[in-house]
Structures are given as structure tokens and as C-alpha cells.
Amino acid sequence: ETGVTQTPRHLVMGMTNKKSLKCEQHLGHNAMYWYKQSAKKPLELMFVYNFKEQTENNSVPSRFSPECPNSSHLFLHLHTLQPEDSALYLCASSPGRFAAGYFGPGTRLTVT
Amino acid sequence: AQTVTQSQPEMSVQEAETVTLSCTYDTSESDYYLFWYKQPPSRQMILVIRQEAYKQQNATENRFSVNFQKAAKSFSLKISDSQLGDAAMYFCAYRSASENNNDMRFGAGTRLTVKP
């Protein structure tokens, strides 16, 4: 394990539900990321936080709302998702913006 | 925008043999970082190797080495003495060194099978 944990590991939610994904890193890193991994598509960077400040939002729909209360925790709040949002959501952290990312195990999300 | 291309969706190698995974990228930047990540089935993605564009020397990590050709925008990964545990999806990734660009681009991945 790399020191980045994610909960829950699996989530099934209806289109009208509200849920949150949690990521925690125990590595003392300053930057945290959310990625979306869909079948047969490259990883897509969704959000970047550097020292708790959001520095990147790659045109992600507003039904995804990130929160970074401190440099160790990152949340992804989900509401009114669509079936095409079903994917593996990966959290990563890095000691700096230009360093390699250390990934968590991911949350497998299924939207029904 | 930078793009990363992995032209080999699947590769296979005999145990103990050597295999090379291809990666090309498109960028107008001169300073950047390149990475290879490994994602075993149902397991976490882990960093395999990293290369800084300003370094001419190819990075190596034990049985893993890269062939970085900056002019050709090519960044291939060579796995020597392949082991069964090397079976995984391998992703090539690009990150700009620009202060204003936090994006990290990944290729579509290459699935490596290791035959005993």
C-alpha cells in the first residue's frame, strides 16, 4: 500500500442520491488529486489541490464537488449523477506539483 | 494541449524475456516530466519510473529502464527478465513543468501479459 486510502471501495448509487468519496493520505504531501478512470479511456484529471487550494478544474460538471479541508484529506461530493459517471475514481497525492503521484486503490462507482 | 499515445493496447512476453512498451507524446514545451505507472489487476497504481526532460541520461530502476528520445518525443519502457508479477496495465504519463499547468496526461495504457 502507498499510504493513500480511499473509502468506500465500492459504491452503488441512484441518480437522485447524494454521496461522498473520501481520500486520506499519510505521506505528508502537499498536493492531492482526483482522477476518473473509465473503461477504454485514458485517466482524466478532475481536480487538483495544492496546499488546500484548488488549482485545476478540468471542466468537470458541477454534479461533482470537491472539498479539501486540510492537506491530508480530500472529498468528492456527488449529486444527481448520470449513468455515464460510472467509473473508478482515483485519488492521488504528491509531495509537490511536479512530483509523481501516489495513488489510492480507488472507489468503484456505479450509477443506476 | 499535450497528448500521450500508447500504440500497443496489449503486449505479451515470456517469463525471463525482455519486452519494450512504446509511448509517444506531443508537446510544444521544452521542460516536462514523464512517468510510467503500473496498475496490477484490482490493485493500486504505482509509479515504476520517472524521467526529467532536461536529463539526457535514461532513467533506470532495477529491471525497468526507459529509452527517452526527446527530439522524437518518444519514451519507451523496457522490462528485462520479465516476471509473472509484472503482468499489469502500464500507463505512460506526461506532466508539464510549467508553474501554470497542473495537468497530468495519461496514455490509454498497455496491458502486459507474462507467460510462464
Side-chain angles (χ1 to χ4, degrees), chain B residues 38-53:
Chain B
K38 170 186 176 181
Q39 188 177 37
S42 301
R43 294 186 62 187
Q44 286 175 240
M45 186 154 353
I46 58 175
L47 176 69
V48 175
I49 202 164
R50 164 194 163 119
Q51 175 81 42
E52 290 89 347

Side-chain angles (χ1 to χ4, degrees), chain A residues 49-98:
Chain A
Y49 278 84
N50 193 39
F51 289 99
K52 302 186 298 178
E53 298 295 322
Q54 185 176 315
T55 59
E56 195 85 11
N57 174 350
N58 282 334
S59 302
V60 178
S62 60
R63 57 185 184 269
F64 295 92
S65 174
E67 179 190 1
C68 187
N70 55 62
S71 57
S72 298
H73 295 85
L74 185 64
F75 296 89
L76 188 62
H77 304 300
L78 317 171
H79 65 96
T80 58
L81 295 191
Q82 305 298 312
E84 60 264 28
D85 296 323
S86 298
L88 181 68
Y89 288 84
L90 294 168
C91 174
S93 70
S94 67
R97 283 187 296 160
F98 305 125

